[in-house]
Amino acid sequence: IIMSEFKLTTTSFKDGGMIPKKYTPHAEDHNPQLSWTGAPQGTKSFALINDDPDAPCGLWTHWLVKNIPATTTSIAENSIPGVEVTNSWNIKHYKGPKPPSGTHRYYFKLYACNVEKMKANTLEQFYNEIEKVKIGEPAVVMGKFSH
């Protein structure tokens, strides 16, 4: 198997840098722009997980999107690229960084999937199913936020 150079980038913030306030509930709460290149061969769709491993309760998921068409190579700011699945806030929509204290890391993980449509309708189902349908490792970009 030849692994492609699957890369995720954003013009909204520097990878590893601070996420601007406009992408948080303290302002517009828009999802940031994302784009990618080098999707693995056999990709039938993409799925996106945006989560915070630094939450006091453990992993906190801010955004889940499945069934992003295989022809897609970017997500515009403040847009819905596929079918949203209920997140840790119990809503089906992007909700940006809002750490209770300190600086948290927010990972945007784009998965290439070997199916056109994921079945998952809950957060738990999504995390379980992505392990079965992903092609290789996700393309990742990470930003930080603190009040």
Side-chain angles (χ1 to χ4, degrees):
I1 289 180
I2 298 166
M3 291 307 289
S4 65
E5 282 296 307
F6 191 27
K7 295 242 182 290
L8 183 64
T9 57
T10 178
T11 56
S12 300
F13 57 89
K14 188 173 177 286
D15 187 18
M18 297 305 283
I19 296 172
K21 198 177 205 172
K22 84 183 271 189
Y23 304 109
T24 75
H26 303 285
E28 290 97 343
D29 210 11
H30 291 171
N31 64 275
Q33 180 278 342
L34 298 167
S35 54
W36 55 92
T37 56
Q41 210 168 351
T43 300
K44 293 186 177 162
S45 70
F46 296 100
L48 182 76
I49 295 176
N50 170 216
D51 56 23
D52 168 10
D54 303 320
C57 61
L59 192 68
W60 190 263
T61 304
H62 288 257
W63 200 26
L64 291 174
V65 186
K66 66 179 183 177
N67 307 347
I68 301 167
T71 52
T72 306
T73 57
S74 66
I75 297 169
E77 185 177 303
N78 198 31
S79 71
I80 300 165
V83 178
E84 294 174 305
V85 175
T86 306
N87 60 19
S88 294
W89 304 99
N90 210 26
I91 59 168
K92 288 184 180 184
H93 200 62
Y94 172 83
K95 188 144 173 86
K98 196 180 178 186
S101 63
T103 302
H104 288 214
R105 296 167 298 157
Y106 298 88
Y107 289 88
F108 291 84
K109 299 181 275 200
L110 186 76
Y111 292 84
C113 304
N114 61 15
V115 293
E116 274 181 43
K117 304 259 186 245
M118 284 177 62
K119 295 176 182 72
N121 289 311
T122 67
L123 186 142
E124 192 180 346
Q125 288 172 355
F126 196 105
Y127 277 92
N128 287 333
E129 188 176 355
I130 201 68
E131 290 304 315
K132 297 178 181 111
V133 302
K134 70 180 182 178
I135 301 171
E137 290 306 304
V140 180
V141 67
M142 185 270 291
K144 297 173 186 165
F145 189 80
S146 59
H147 292 291

